[in-house]
Amino acid sequence: MSRYTAADIEPKWQTAWDEAGIFTAQRDPNRPKYYVLEMFPYPSGRIHMGHVRNYTMGDVIARYKSSCGFSVLHPMGWDAFGMPAENAAMAQGGHPGTWTYDNIKTMKGQMRPLGLSIDWSREFATCDPEYYGQQQAMFIDFMERGLVYRKNATVNWDPVDMTVLANEQVIDGCGWRSGAPVERRDLTQWFFKISDYSGELLDALDGLDNWPEKVRTMQANWIGRSQGLQFSFERTDGGESIEVYTTRPDTLLGASFVGISPDHPISKALEADNPEVAAKIAEMRKGGTTEEAIETAEKLGYDTGIRVKHPLDPNWELPVWIANFILMDYGTGAIFACPAHDQRDLDFCRKYDLPVKDTFLSLDDPKPVENEAFVPPKTEKVKWLDHFAGLDEATGEEAVEATVKFAEDADWGTGVEKFRLRDWGLSRQRYWGCPIPVVHCDDCGVVPEKKENLPVKLPFDEGGNPIDFSIPGNPLDRNPDWRACDCPSCGKPAQRETDTMDTFVDSSWYYARFTSPGATTPTDAEEAAYWMNVDQYIGGIEHAILHLLYSRFFARAMNICGHLPEKAREPFNALFTQGMVTHAIYKNAERTDENGRAIYHYPEDVEERDGVMVVKETGEKVKVIPSAKMSKSKNNVVDPVNIIDAFGADTARWFVLSDSPPERDVEWTASGAEAAAKHLSRVYATAAKIAEMDDADGNDEDLIRATHKAIHDVTMGIESFGFNAAIAKLYAFQNAISKSKAGGKAQKEAMRVMAQLMSPMTPHLSEEIWSMLGGAGLVAQADWPKADEAMLAEDSVTLPIQINGKRRAEISVPKDMDKAEVEKLALAEDAVIRALDGKAPKKVIVVPGRIVNVVV
RNA sequence: GCCCAAGUGGCGGAAUGGUAGACGCAGGGGAUUCAAAAUCCCCCGAUGGUAACAUCGUGUGAGUUCGAGUCUCACCUUGGGCACCA
């Protein structure tokens, strides 16, 4: 009997699939379509287990849907622009493009052996000029429709390298290369008007029934609709009054000061003619631009000396402070602070010795605020102190509503709806991205490039020499040859825009491009109409907010510009977010490297001695940190290529699906991979044995039942993304077959079903078994088996009997036995009689087919 | 700091509010073998008990329910995101 050797089987069937061309997506009017998409990879250089897990899940769905009769689109491409390519060019010389395309080639070579049912004819990389040229065309369309504009925005500025830094390049508030403390600086940048769609993007979340609740909540919070009051504080010096927005107008009598952002026009004006203010503001601008950096930074303030009148009492003057925690991007960039009911305001007031005044107290525990702000949920009833709108006991919600009405009636404020969502800043001062296709003309201003001149390609030289990426700054900025162009409007000499687009732009519409990757317009209407939407999108939870929100916005913008049909405004019908593949980290517990950084060891370099993990070579103790995200810097990456070489692709696929629920992280373990390999061998051996049996009938009933149960359970498992559960059922089915005493005919049928049920997960082995047992054609093209409902029902059931909710006995009864009859049987049980001790039960609950609970 | 999750045996995990621990790993015992590898069979939450069985048990503490791993609240721990990483 031959043994299971993946190395022979896998290439053979891959060739068979390619020759049959079964993965090439075809528009077929006679079949329903199904579009499966996994978030496309960044070409970092090697595939990792996370990729294997992601693409295997998509492949299971794609193959399953194909078997169910759908015309499937399952494409793959490369999210190919981005910083790592530029960093590589900076570190090793060469060009980011060369690095990127080499990586794509390597990674594709590593992915092909996985046997994924991908239509490679649709492959593209976002750095292909054919792709980003269409993106530029859309940018121009968006400009025409007012979806793009320019304004000032804050960036991380490295004062030594004189360059803009990504958040990732800011480490502990300092530039990653220069080590200099980072400053915040304003630049004129390009923005997409995503905020125009805040309400729609929020409301439409309700329709996304097949998205994880978690993702919808995160997006809803991110968009952040709030109802509040906008009003202005009149200045005592007669200057322009200060407009503020607040979600808690009901606490207006607790106002302590008016705070403005360091970027507020008033701050800027003061900064310009007062060096002291300028110095203070410079201090506040230190540190990164991330919300986290701003929120956790020490509260800094500066009293401008400006005073404003309280809207409810013209004799009450409030000071105006510049405060570093106020964002210019949200609301009006100015607030009134109510320290009693906001921790941030309270911290600030305690630091600068500003008054703290309670406006309401807890009903349970009415005591004044000390150093902890009283911030109850808005639905909690509180006791108001002398409220201007006449409130006594009311919830925050009621109070806000009453106050807004009060202010509107008195005509000093307006109730407004605001969103937290900011416009999408897409400008990047970097080379390796899609050039923004506009031209700066002295006469005409900012003019879009003519569409016939697209793509605006990235230059590959500067002044005739290869670009030197080791010089800090944007290589496009210092490339006069490339910048020089003719104004598309007046024809006079002009300059190209040197900003490139955020890579999120590239990934915001690739799903649409896959429907017609060769089109000379961004999409082809007929293809998009057929293939959109993505029926199942699969990717990491880390993309829950930005990528998915930007894509939802882009789909709407593309629809407006005629690039996508109306139905595609929500482009992803169903979303699944999978967990990461993790692996233990082995951290040296005895020493660090010369820079004081932790040393990590490869799994193969450590071993267990006397119950402790040590480094094999040196015997140094090792701290084991379980379940950490695989990361090169931590030396805990398991290379799928090694696993495929050792065990085959089917084993790798089986393992990444088997151990953990798909949405949770999976810990890579060597023993888990071996177990998967063992199981597949066992299935193969069983199939080989059954193939040699004759076609006699026998005691077939149990096996046939088991077969239908397996069909039912595995189908349910795949449909519900319970791949691990589906695999557990396949283990059980394998045990049932190998123990079966049924005749050859039934065993062969069971094994063919096994091949079909396994084929989405282990397609190569399944083909082998299918052909071994005389299955017709390719199992990849066979129709998915259907479970016979009649074979699923058991005739009798075992009912557990609980006494006061604890299981104490069980009875076996016919499936459809009458409730009263069941109760009688249950009460006749010894354990029940003992527990009742002659008394009548207080209550008997019979859940048919489930359980009996006797309350004594 | 803010937003969102997750926590079940030695380990990964299963469980429409209804028998907690399916399935797998590790471990133990046995069969086969000259021996081993491979394979096959059995056991395997904790405590007590020869056993039947009893008691306890799903991060912690309360609550709802005839019944809670599952629902509610609070807390603890871990993970993801926080707008220029992709």
Side-chain angles (χ1 to χ4, degrees), chain A residues 79 167-168 221 291 428-430 682 845 850 853:
Chain A
D79 188 13
N167 283 336
E168 191 189 50
N221 289 334
E291 197 168 306
R428 297 292 180 271
Q429 293 71 42
R430 265 179 273 283
R682 214 161 8 216
I845 292 133
R850 278 277 169 205
N853 191 15

mmCIF file of all heavy atoms in Angstrom, chain A residues 79 167-168 221 291 428-430 682 845 850 853, chain B residues 3-4 14 16 25 40 66 83-86:
data_model
loop_
_atom_site.group_PDB
_atom_site.id
_atom_site.type_symbol
_atom_site.label_atom_id
_atom_site.label_comp_id
_atom_site.label_asym_id
_atom_site.label_seq_id
_atom_site.Cartn_x
_atom_site.Cartn_y
_atom_site.Cartn_z
ATOM 1 N N ASP A 79 -0.526 45.016 -2.195
ATOM 2 C CA ASP A 79 -0.635 46.374 -1.666
ATOM 3 C C ASP A 79 0.788 46.921 -1.602
ATOM 4 O O ASP A 79 1.439 46.872 -0.565
ATOM 5 C CB ASP A 79 -1.262 46.289 -0.268
ATOM 6 C CG ASP A 79 -1.601 47.651 0.287
ATOM 7 O OD1 ASP A 79 -1.591 48.630 -0.484
ATOM 8 O OD2 ASP A 79 -1.873 47.736 1.490
ATOM 9 N N ASN A 167 3.901 58.395 12.101
ATOM 10 C CA ASN A 167 3.755 58.103 13.530
ATOM 11 C C ASN A 167 4.674 56.965 13.941
ATOM 12 O O ASN A 167 5.227 56.956 15.028
ATOM 13 C CB ASN A 167 2.307 57.719 13.846
ATOM 14 C CG ASN A 167 1.418 58.940 13.895
ATOM 15 O OD1 ASN A 167 1.896 60.051 14.143
ATOM 16 N ND2 ASN A 167 0.147 58.748 13.644
ATOM 17 N N GLU A 168 4.791 55.989 13.043
ATOM 18 C CA GLU A 168 5.603 54.812 13.318
ATOM 19 C C GLU A 168 7.078 55.185 13.502
ATOM 20 O O GLU A 168 7.833 54.471 14.157
ATOM 21 C CB GLU A 168 5.472 53.857 12.130
ATOM 22 C CG GLU A 168 6.034 52.508 12.383
ATOM 23 C CD GLU A 168 6.075 51.701 11.098
ATOM 24 O OE1 GLU A 168 6.580 52.219 10.084
ATOM 25 O OE2 GLU A 168 5.611 50.576 11.117
ATOM 26 N N ASN A 221 -18.258 54.320 16.901
ATOM 27 C CA ASN A 221 -17.578 55.175 17.868
ATOM 28 C C ASN A 221 -16.581 56.093 17.187
ATOM 29 O O ASN A 221 -16.344 57.210 17.629
ATOM 30 C CB ASN A 221 -16.851 54.332 18.916
ATOM 31 C CG ASN A 221 -17.814 53.651 19.857
ATOM 32 O OD1 ASN A 221 -18.924 54.142 20.065
ATOM 33 N ND2 ASN A 221 -17.419 52.528 20.408
ATOM 34 N N GLU A 291 -3.332 60.610 18.677
ATOM 35 C CA GLU A 291 -4.291 60.945 19.714
ATOM 36 C C GLU A 291 -3.773 60.469 21.073
ATOM 37 O O GLU A 291 -3.940 61.139 22.080
ATOM 38 C CB GLU A 291 -5.627 60.280 19.392
ATOM 39 C CG GLU A 291 -6.771 60.873 20.161
ATOM 40 C CD GLU A 291 -8.109 60.400 19.622
ATOM 41 O OE1 GLU A 291 -8.321 60.551 18.418
ATOM 42 O OE2 GLU A 291 -8.898 59.885 20.411
ATOM 43 N N ARG A 428 1.162 62.539 1.503
ATOM 44 C CA ARG A 428 2.348 62.003 2.151
ATOM 45 C C ARG A 428 3.553 62.645 1.473
ATOM 46 O O ARG A 428 3.611 62.702 0.241
ATOM 47 C CB ARG A 428 2.428 60.478 1.987
ATOM 48 C CG ARG A 428 1.279 59.724 2.647
ATOM 49 C CD ARG A 428 1.346 59.819 4.169
ATOM 50 N NE ARG A 428 0.252 59.105 4.795
ATOM 51 C CZ ARG A 428 -0.943 59.638 5.069
ATOM 52 N NH1 ARG A 428 -1.196 60.907 4.763
ATOM 53 N NH2 ARG A 428 -1.879 58.931 5.640
ATOM 54 N N GLN A 429 4.514 63.056 2.296
ATOM 55 C CA GLN A 429 5.701 63.691 1.718
ATOM 56 C C GLN A 429 6.743 62.610 1.487
ATOM 57 O O GLN A 429 7.819 62.629 2.052
ATOM 58 C CB GLN A 429 6.215 64.790 2.666
ATOM 59 C CG GLN A 429 5.260 65.962 2.800
ATOM 60 C CD GLN A 429 4.007 65.617 3.583
ATOM 61 O OE1 GLN A 429 4.056 64.944 4.602
ATOM 62 N NE2 GLN A 429 2.850 66.060 3.084
ATOM 63 N N ARG A 430 6.383 61.656 0.640
ATOM 64 C CA ARG A 430 7.251 60.506 0.423
ATOM 65 C C ARG A 430 7.256 60.126 -1.048
ATOM 66 O O ARG A 430 6.374 60.509 -1.809
ATOM 67 C CB ARG A 430 6.762 59.317 1.250
ATOM 68 C CG ARG A 430 7.468 59.193 2.565
ATOM 69 C CD ARG A 430 6.953 58.030 3.356
ATOM 70 N NE ARG A 430 5.804 58.428 4.145
ATOM 71 C CZ ARG A 430 5.897 59.125 5.267
ATOM 72 N NH1 ARG A 430 7.071 59.483 5.741
ATOM 73 N NH2 ARG A 430 4.815 59.469 5.928
ATOM 74 N N ARG A 682 -3.592 9.222 8.118
ATOM 75 C CA ARG A 682 -4.570 8.234 8.553
ATOM 76 C C ARG A 682 -5.745 8.200 7.570
ATOM 77 O O ARG A 682 -6.211 7.139 7.178
ATOM 78 C CB ARG A 682 -5.062 8.602 9.953
ATOM 79 C CG ARG A 682 -5.379 7.417 10.808
ATOM 80 C CD ARG A 682 -5.415 7.734 12.304
ATOM 81 N NE ARG A 682 -5.325 9.149 12.626
ATOM 82 C CZ ARG A 682 -4.691 9.647 13.683
ATOM 83 N NH1 ARG A 682 -4.090 8.849 14.514
ATOM 84 N NH2 ARG A 682 -4.642 10.925 13.928
ATOM 85 N N ILE A 845 -39.861 21.049 35.221
ATOM 86 C CA ILE A 845 -39.743 21.663 33.898
ATOM 87 C C ILE A 845 -39.266 20.615 32.918
ATOM 88 O O ILE A 845 -38.223 19.991 33.139
ATOM 89 C CB ILE A 845 -38.757 22.847 33.933
ATOM 90 C CG1 ILE A 845 -39.346 23.982 34.772
ATOM 91 C CG2 ILE A 845 -38.453 23.361 32.539
ATOM 92 C CD1 ILE A 845 -38.417 24.551 35.745
ATOM 93 N N ARG A 850 -34.613 17.842 25.357
ATOM 94 C CA ARG A 850 -33.476 18.544 25.931
ATOM 95 C C ARG A 850 -33.132 18.103 27.347
ATOM 96 O O ARG A 850 -32.070 17.577 27.610
ATOM 97 C CB ARG A 850 -33.757 20.056 25.954
ATOM 98 C CG ARG A 850 -33.490 20.743 24.650
ATOM 99 C CD ARG A 850 -32.025 21.062 24.539
ATOM 100 N NE ARG A 850 -31.708 21.491 23.198
ATOM 101 C CZ ARG A 850 -30.481 21.379 22.671
ATOM 102 N NH1 ARG A 850 -29.519 20.850 23.377
ATOM 103 N NH2 ARG A 850 -30.244 21.791 21.461
ATOM 104 N N ASN A 853 -35.977 19.294 34.556
ATOM 105 C CA ASN A 853 -35.481 19.858 35.807
ATOM 106 C C ASN A 853 -36.571 19.738 36.864
ATOM 107 O O ASN A 853 -37.678 20.212 36.674
ATOM 108 C CB ASN A 853 -35.085 21.322 35.608
ATOM 109 C CG ASN A 853 -34.309 21.864 36.799
ATOM 110 O OD1 ASN A 853 -33.833 21.106 37.644
ATOM 111 N ND2 ASN A 853 -34.200 23.171 36.876
ATOM 112 P P C B 3 -14.134 55.128 26.665
ATOM 113 O OP1 C B 3 -15.519 55.480 27.014
ATOM 114 O OP2 C B 3 -13.336 54.281 27.559
ATOM 115 O "O5'" C B 3 -14.137 54.425 25.235
ATOM 116 C "C5'" C B 3 -14.878 54.973 24.149
ATOM 117 C "C4'" C B 3 -14.590 54.166 22.905
ATOM 118 O "O4'" C B 3 -13.171 54.269 22.591
ATOM 119 C "C3'" C B 3 -14.800 52.665 23.033
ATOM 120 O "O3'" C B 3 -16.152 52.305 22.945
ATOM 121 C "C2'" C B 3 -13.963 52.161 21.872
ATOM 122 O "O2'" C B 3 -14.595 52.412 20.635
ATOM 123 C "C1'" C B 3 -12.733 53.058 21.994
ATOM 124 N N1 C B 3 -11.682 52.446 22.829
ATOM 125 C C2 C B 3 -10.865 51.473 22.245
ATOM 126 O O2 C B 3 -11.060 51.165 21.065
ATOM 127 N N3 C B 3 -9.879 50.900 22.985
ATOM 128 C C4 C B 3 -9.707 51.261 24.253
ATOM 129 N N4 C B 3 -8.723 50.660 24.930
ATOM 130 C C5 C B 3 -10.521 52.236 24.877
ATOM 131 C C6 C B 3 -11.498 52.799 24.139
ATOM 132 P P C B 4 -16.689 50.976 23.700
ATOM 133 O OP1 C B 4 -18.141 50.935 23.486
ATOM 134 O OP2 C B 4 -16.132 50.917 25.060
ATOM 135 O "O5'" C B 4 -16.009 49.807 22.864
ATOM 136 C "C5'" C B 4 -16.379 49.595 21.506
ATOM 137 C "C4'" C B 4 -15.555 48.474 20.946
ATOM 138 O "O4'" C B 4 -14.149 48.794 21.015
ATOM 139 C "C3'" C B 4 -15.650 47.170 21.720
ATOM 140 O "O3'" C B 4 -16.851 46.503 21.407
ATOM 141 C "C2'" C B 4 -14.405 46.448 21.228
ATOM 142 O "O2'" C B 4 -14.571 45.920 19.936
ATOM 143 C "C1'" C B 4 -13.397 47.601 21.167
ATOM 144 N N1 C B 4 -12.579 47.696 22.388
ATOM 145 C C2 C B 4 -11.458 46.867 22.502
ATOM 146 O O2 C B 4 -11.207 46.085 21.573
ATOM 147 N N3 C B 4 -10.680 46.928 23.604
ATOM 148 C C4 C B 4 -10.991 47.787 24.576
ATOM 149 N N4 C B 4 -10.195 47.815 25.648
ATOM 150 C C5 C B 4 -12.131 48.643 24.497
ATOM 151 C C6 C B 4 -12.894 48.559 23.396
ATOM 152 P P A B 14 -13.912 27.174 20.501
ATOM 153 O OP1 A B 14 -14.308 27.577 19.141
ATOM 154 O OP2 A B 14 -14.081 28.077 21.640
ATOM 155 O "O5'" A B 14 -14.655 25.804 20.828
ATOM 156 C "C5'" A B 14 -14.802 24.833 19.809
ATOM 157 C "C4'" A B 14 -15.739 23.748 20.250
ATOM 158 O "O4'" A B 14 -15.190 23.046 21.380
ATOM 159 C "C3'" A B 14 -17.093 24.210 20.746
ATOM 160 O "O3'" A B 14 -17.944 24.478 19.667
ATOM 161 C "C2'" A B 14 -17.559 23.005 21.537
ATOM 162 O "O2'" A B 14 -18.028 21.983 20.692
ATOM 163 C "C1'" A B 14 -16.247 22.534 22.159
ATOM 164 N N9 A B 14 -16.053 22.962 23.549
ATOM 165 C C8 A B 14 -15.201 23.905 24.041
ATOM 166 N N7 A B 14 -15.231 24.024 25.356
ATOM 167 C C5 A B 14 -16.179 23.093 25.737
ATOM 168 C C6 A B 14 -16.673 22.712 26.989
ATOM 169 N N6 A B 14 -16.278 23.253 28.148
ATOM 170 N N1 A B 14 -17.625 21.747 27.026
ATOM 171 C C2 A B 14 -18.033 21.212 25.872
ATOM 172 N N3 A B 14 -17.635 21.472 24.630
ATOM 173 C C4 A B 14 -16.696 22.435 24.637
ATOM 174 P P U B 16 -23.869 26.255 21.110
ATOM 175 O OP1 U B 16 -24.312 25.572 19.895
ATOM 176 O OP2 U B 16 -22.662 27.058 21.068
ATOM 177 O "O5'" U B 16 -25.028 27.162 21.675
ATOM 178 C "C5'" U B 16 -26.344 26.725 21.558
ATOM 179 C "C4'" U B 16 -27.151 27.694 20.731
ATOM 180 O "O4'" U B 16 -28.030 26.932 19.863
ATOM 181 C "C3'" U B 16 -28.092 28.572 21.571
ATOM 182 O "O3'" U B 16 -27.422 29.764 21.978
ATOM 183 C "C2'" U B 16 -29.240 28.823 20.611
ATOM 184 O "O2'" U B 16 -28.904 29.796 19.642
ATOM 185 C "C1'" U B 16 -29.340 27.459 19.922
ATOM 186 N N1 U B 16 -30.187 26.498 20.670
ATOM 187 C C2 U B 16 -31.549 26.726 20.762
ATOM 188 O O2 U B 16 -32.096 27.690 20.263
ATOM 189 N N3 U B 16 -32.236 25.791 21.489
ATOM 190 C C4 U B 16 -31.735 24.677 22.113
ATOM 191 O O4 U B 16 -32.476 23.927 22.724
ATOM 192 C C5 U B 16 -30.325 24.498 21.976
ATOM 193 C C6 U B 16 -29.625 25.395 21.282
ATOM 194 P P C B 25 -3.934 13.959 18.619
ATOM 195 O OP1 C B 25 -3.060 13.306 17.617
ATOM 196 O OP2 C B 25 -4.640 13.142 19.624
ATOM 197 O "O5'" C B 25 -3.099 15.068 19.392
ATOM 198 C "C5'" C B 25 -2.228 15.938 18.678
ATOM 199 C "C4'" C B 25 -1.586 16.911 19.633
ATOM 200 O "O4'" C B 25 -2.615 17.631 20.364
ATOM 201 C "C3'" C B 25 -0.755 16.297 20.743
ATOM 202 O "O3'" C B 25 0.513 15.897 20.280
ATOM 203 C "C2'" C B 25 -0.681 17.462 21.713
ATOM 204 O "O2'" C B 25 0.214 18.453 21.274
ATOM 205 C "C1'" C B 25 -2.106 17.994 21.637
ATOM 206 N N1 C B 25 -2.970 17.428 22.698
ATOM 207 C C2 C B 25 -2.799 17.909 24.007
ATOM 208 O O2 C B 25 -1.948 18.788 24.213
ATOM 209 N N3 C B 25 -3.567 17.409 25.001
ATOM 210 C C4 C B 25 -4.469 16.469 24.731
ATOM 211 N N4 C B 25 -5.200 16.015 25.748
ATOM 212 C C5 C B 25 -4.660 15.956 23.410
ATOM 213 C C6 C B 25 -3.893 16.459 22.433
ATOM 214 P P C B 40 -3.336 4.834 14.085
ATOM 215 O OP1 C B 40 -4.403 5.408 13.235
ATOM 216 O OP2 C B 40 -2.614 5.687 15.039
ATOM 217 O "O5'" C B 40 -3.917 3.588 14.891
ATOM 218 C "C5'" C B 40 -4.641 2.580 14.205
ATOM 219 C "C4'" C B 40 -4.869 1.406 15.123
ATOM 220 O "O4'" C B 40 -3.587 0.851 15.530
ATOM 221 C "C3'" C B 40 -5.532 1.755 16.453
ATOM 222 O "O3'" C B 40 -6.938 1.876 16.331
ATOM 223 C "C2'" C B 40 -5.115 0.567 17.306
ATOM 224 O "O2'" C B 40 -5.874 -0.595 17.009
ATOM 225 C "C1'" C B 40 -3.678 0.356 16.848
ATOM 226 N N1 C B 40 -2.704 1.078 17.704
ATOM 227 C C2 C B 40 -2.342 0.521 18.931
ATOM 228 O O2 C B 40 -2.860 -0.563 19.277
ATOM 229 N N3 C B 40 -1.458 1.160 19.731
ATOM 230 C C4 C B 40 -0.928 2.322 19.329
ATOM 231 N N4 C B 40 -0.056 2.909 20.137
ATOM 232 C C5 C B 40 -1.271 2.921 18.083
ATOM 233 C C6 C B 40 -2.154 2.276 17.310
ATOM 234 P P C B 66 -37.644 31.400 38.227
ATOM 235 O OP1 C B 66 -39.051 31.155 37.824
ATOM 236 O OP2 C B 66 -37.325 32.230 39.400
ATOM 237 O "O5'" C B 66 -36.923 29.993 38.393
ATOM 238 C "C5'" C B 66 -37.174 29.198 39.562
ATOM 239 C "C4'" C B 66 -36.582 27.827 39.365
ATOM 240 O "O4'" C B 66 -37.335 27.120 38.329
ATOM 241 C "C3'" C B 66 -35.157 27.825 38.827
ATOM 242 O "O3'" C B 66 -34.230 27.976 39.878
ATOM 243 C "C2'" C B 66 -35.060 26.450 38.169
ATOM 244 O "O2'" C B 66 -34.879 25.427 39.119
ATOM 245 C "C1'" C B 66 -36.464 26.319 37.559
ATOM 246 N N1 C B 66 -36.531 26.758 36.162
ATOM 247 C C2 C B 66 -35.953 25.945 35.169
ATOM 248 O O2 C B 66 -35.384 24.896 35.512
ATOM 249 N N3 C B 66 -36.020 26.317 33.881
ATOM 250 C C4 C B 66 -36.639 27.459 33.548
ATOM 251 N N4 C B 66 -36.686 27.804 32.271
ATOM 252 C C5 C B 66 -37.223 28.311 34.534
ATOM 253 C C6 C B 66 -37.154 27.921 35.816
ATOM 254 P P A B 83 -3.528 58.150 15.470
ATOM 255 O OP1 A B 83 -2.466 57.227 15.929
ATOM 256 O OP2 A B 83 -3.677 59.473 16.082
ATOM 257 O "O5'" A B 83 -3.375 58.330 13.915
ATOM 258 C "C5'" A B 83 -3.589 57.210 13.042
ATOM 259 C "C4'" A B 83 -4.488 57.632 11.897
ATOM 260 O "O4'" A B 83 -5.859 57.718 12.367
ATOM 261 C "C3'" A B 83 -4.149 58.983 11.305
ATOM 262 O "O3'" A B 83 -4.263 58.911 9.886
ATOM 263 C "C2'" A B 83 -5.242 59.894 11.849
ATOM 264 O "O2'" A B 83 -5.517 60.993 11.029
ATOM 265 C "C1'" A B 83 -6.412 58.933 11.910
ATOM 266 N N9 A B 83 -7.405 59.403 12.844
ATOM 267 C C8 A B 83 -7.302 59.529 14.192
ATOM 268 N N7 A B 83 -8.355 60.063 14.756
ATOM 269 C C5 A B 83 -9.208 60.310 13.711
ATOM 270 C C6 A B 83 -10.492 60.880 13.638
ATOM 271 N N6 A B 83 -11.147 61.327 14.701
ATOM 272 N N1 A B 83 -11.063 60.966 12.428
ATOM 273 C C2 A B 83 -10.391 60.519 11.365
ATOM 274 N N3 A B 83 -9.188 59.978 11.298
ATOM 275 C C4 A B 83 -8.639 59.901 12.511
ATOM 276 P P C B 84 -3.330 59.779 8.978
ATOM 277 O OP1 C B 84 -3.316 61.173 9.451
ATOM 278 O OP2 C B 84 -3.789 59.438 7.631
ATOM 279 O "O5'" C B 84 -1.871 59.173 9.181
ATOM 280 C "C5'" C B 84 -1.614 57.840 8.795
ATOM 281 C "C4'" C B 84 -0.117 57.631 8.716
ATOM 282 O "O4'" C B 84 0.425 58.581 7.776
ATOM 283 C "C3'" C B 84 0.590 57.897 10.040
ATOM 284 O "O3'" C B 84 1.738 57.066 10.097
ATOM 285 C "C2'" C B 84 1.060 59.324 9.897
ATOM 286 O "O2'" C B 84 2.177 59.630 10.685
ATOM 287 C "C1'" C B 84 1.429 59.335 8.421
ATOM 288 N N1 C B 84 1.432 60.666 7.832
ATOM 289 C C2 C B 84 2.616 61.103 7.262
ATOM 290 O O2 C B 84 3.599 60.351 7.262
ATOM 291 N N3 C B 84 2.656 62.328 6.699
ATOM 292 C C4 C B 84 1.576 63.099 6.716
ATOM 293 N N4 C B 84 1.672 64.291 6.159
ATOM 294 C C5 C B 84 0.356 62.676 7.305
ATOM 295 C C6 C B 84 0.334 61.458 7.846
ATOM 296 P P C B 85 1.487 55.559 10.529
ATOM 297 O OP1 C B 85 0.117 55.289 10.887
ATOM 298 O OP2 C B 85 2.566 55.362 11.513
ATOM 299 O "O5'" C B 85 1.844 54.740 9.231
ATOM 300 C "C5'" C B 85 3.194 54.519 8.842
ATOM 301 C "C4'" C B 85 3.469 53.035 8.764
ATOM 302 O "O4'" C B 85 3.137 52.433 10.027
ATOM 303 C "C3'" C B 85 2.602 52.273 7.777
ATOM 304 O "O3'" C B 85 3.207 52.314 6.498
ATOM 305 C "C2'" C B 85 2.595 50.874 8.348
ATOM 306 O "O2'" C B 85 3.728 50.162 7.938
ATOM 307 C "C1'" C B 85 2.699 51.117 9.845
ATOM 308 N N1 C B 85 1.437 50.943 10.585
ATOM 309 C C2 C B 85 1.113 49.655 11.014
ATOM 310 O O2 C B 85 1.875 48.735 10.734
ATOM 311 N N3 C B 85 -0.037 49.470 11.708
ATOM 312 C C4 C B 85 -0.824 50.505 11.972
ATOM 313 N N4 C B 85 -1.936 50.268 12.660
ATOM 314 C C5 C B 85 -0.508 51.818 11.546
ATOM 315 C C6 C B 85 0.620 51.987 10.857
ATOM 316 P P A B 86 2.326 52.509 5.187
ATOM 317 O OP1 A B 86 3.248 52.821 4.091
ATOM 318 O OP2 A B 86 1.203 53.417 5.509
ATOM 319 O "O5'" A B 86 1.727 51.058 4.939
ATOM 320 C "C5'" A B 86 2.562 49.988 4.509
ATOM 321 C "C4'" A B 86 1.859 48.696 4.838
ATOM 322 O "O4'" A B 86 1.542 48.700 6.239
ATOM 323 C "C3'" A B 86 0.516 48.525 4.155
ATOM 324 O "O3'" A B 86 0.658 47.922 2.878
ATOM 325 C "C2'" A B 86 -0.256 47.634 5.123
ATOM 326 O "O2'" A B 86 0.080 46.279 4.951
ATOM 327 C "C1'" A B 86 0.288 48.106 6.472
ATOM 328 N N9 A B 86 -0.612 49.078 7.109
ATOM 329 C C8 A B 86 -0.776 50.404 6.840
ATOM 330 N N7 A B 86 -1.653 51.004 7.610
ATOM 331 C C5 A B 86 -2.095 49.981 8.452
ATOM 332 C C6 A B 86 -3.041 49.973 9.501
ATOM 333 N N6 A B 86 -3.743 51.034 9.898
ATOM 334 N N1 A B 86 -3.247 48.795 10.140
ATOM 335 C C2 A B 86 -2.550 47.728 9.736
ATOM 336 N N3 A B 86 -1.641 47.620 8.767
ATOM 337 C C4 A B 86 -1.461 48.795 8.162
#
